[in-house]
């Protein structure tokens, strides 16, 4: 497995916003050694730290209900906007010790979002396969829906959540997710790892709290941004998309022909 860190996403973002970029050449680094902790990871990859700071400096955007597929804790959804334009945005709510993972294919634009809690870490230990299985499903669904575009690009990964809590539960979750990604057999590009100190601020009582309220991804622009969901009613909205959403009882199940290339929720 290879996790790579590049400056290509920053360059593309600069060009999209400013029509130019100070980055003239794409640089790429491979994660050869797994970090001992978050501090080690951030000190090794300052470019990710920079992107984290830029992300949390972006104001939260309140989203309306229309077009948003919202997932709750321990859920995952993958969508292909080419086949299901009804779903325009993927999103999930605040992650304190939980983490939100967003993946996208650079060529097909198929995207997936997952909300991972820390239960498996403190209940079963860091070696629990819960994170590995969840991430595997996300990658398999992106690959399945990408079809002919699969070999023309790769999967980018962004992780958000996990503020610095007193018991260190969030840090365990962060490292468990990073380990699961590192042990995967896919080529992955890490764009954000906005956890720990990069998602922590002080509340009015002087205690640590999370900066991010929620995360969303616009499937058309492929932009990930901080978001809030004032309505926050998953069950109600999911019924509006029942003609497009396949509820699955097992992981990795192959879709029937009629359900191929549609939004998948698990």
């Amino acid at each position: 497995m290879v996790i790579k860190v590049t400056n290509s996403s920053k360059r593309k973002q600069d060009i999209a916003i400013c029509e130019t970029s100070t980055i003239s050449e794409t640089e790429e680094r491979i994660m050869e050694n797994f970090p001992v902790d978050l501090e080690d990871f951030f000190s090794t990859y300052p470019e990710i730290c920079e992107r984290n700071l830029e992300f949390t400096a972006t104001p939260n955007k309140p989203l309306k209900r229309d077009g948003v597929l919202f997932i709750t804790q321990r859920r995952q959804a993958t969508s292909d906007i080419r086949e299901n334009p009804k779903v325009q945005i993927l999103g999930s709510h605040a992650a304190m010790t939980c983490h939100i993972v967003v993946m996208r294919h650079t060529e097909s634009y198929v995207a997936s979002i997952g909300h991972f809690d820390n239960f498996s870490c403190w209940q079963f230990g860091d070696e629990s396969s819960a994170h590995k299985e969840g991430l595997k499903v996300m990658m398999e669904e992106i690959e399945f829906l990408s079809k002919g575009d699969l070999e023309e690009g790769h999967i980018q990964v962004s992780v958000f959540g996990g503020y610095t809590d007193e018991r260190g539960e969030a840090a365990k979750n962060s490292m468990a997710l990073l380990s699961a990604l590192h042990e995967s057999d896919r080529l992955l590009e890490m764009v954000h790892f906005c956890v720990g100190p990069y998602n922590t601020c002080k509340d009015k009582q002087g205690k640590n709290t999370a900066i991010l309220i929620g995360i969303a991804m616009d499937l058309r622009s492929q932009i990930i941004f901080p978001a809030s969901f004032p309505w926050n009613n998953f069950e109600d909205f999911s019924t509006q998309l029942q003609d497009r959403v396949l509820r699955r009882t097992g992981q990795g199940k192959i879709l029937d022909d009629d359900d191929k290339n549609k939004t998948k929720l698990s």
Side-chain angles (χ1 to χ4, degrees), residues 206-225:
K207 295 182 178 180
N208 285 355
T209 190
I211 297 173
L212 299 171
I213 297 173
I215 301 297
M217 179 177 185
D218 187 314
L219 295 177
R220 293 190 183 278
S221 68
Q222 296 285 287
I223 293 176
I224 307 171
F225 56 93

Side-chain angles (χ1 to χ4, degrees), residues 61-128:
K61 181 179 180 180
L63 294 177
K64 296 181 180 180
R65 186 189 307 251
D66 292 344
V68 178
L69 178 54
F70 177 82
I71 65 165
T72 53
Q73 195 168 313
R74 300 187 192 178
R75 285 184 178 269
Q76 171 270 332
T78 303
S79 194
D80 183 358
I81 197 166
R82 300 170 300 180
E83 299 292 337
N84 185 7
K86 204 170 199 177
V87 175
Q88 300 173 15
I89 292 175
L90 298 177
S92 190
H93 57 64
M96 299 293 282
T97 56
C98 296
H99 289 57
I100 299 168
V101 178
V102 181
M103 296 185 181
R104 63 177 288 270
H105 192 272
T106 57
E107 189 67 23
S108 70
Y109 286 3
V110 174
S112 187
I113 186 170
H115 193 128
F116 295 80
D117 64 17
N118 66 319
F119 175 78
S120 63
C121 292
W122 61 261
Q123 183 72 9
F124 301 114
D126 294 342
E127 297 303 316
S128 169

Side-chain angles (χ1 to χ4, degrees), residues 164-208:
T164 304
D165 62 298
E166 292 181 356
R167 296 191 292 182
E169 292 180 356
K172 290 181 180 180
N173 202 3
S174 299
M175 293 303 293
L177 278 169
L178 187 60
S179 176
L181 290 167
H182 187 256
E183 293 177 12
S184 169
D185 57 359
R186 273 83 166 179
L187 169 65
L188 303 172
E189 178 188 353
M190 183 72 73
V191 179
H192 301 92
F193 202 67
C194 196
V195 305
Y198 293 95
N199 186 35
T200 304
C201 63
K202 298 291 185 181
D203 61 17
K204 294 180 180 180
Q205 288 72 43
K207 295 182 178 180
N208 285 355

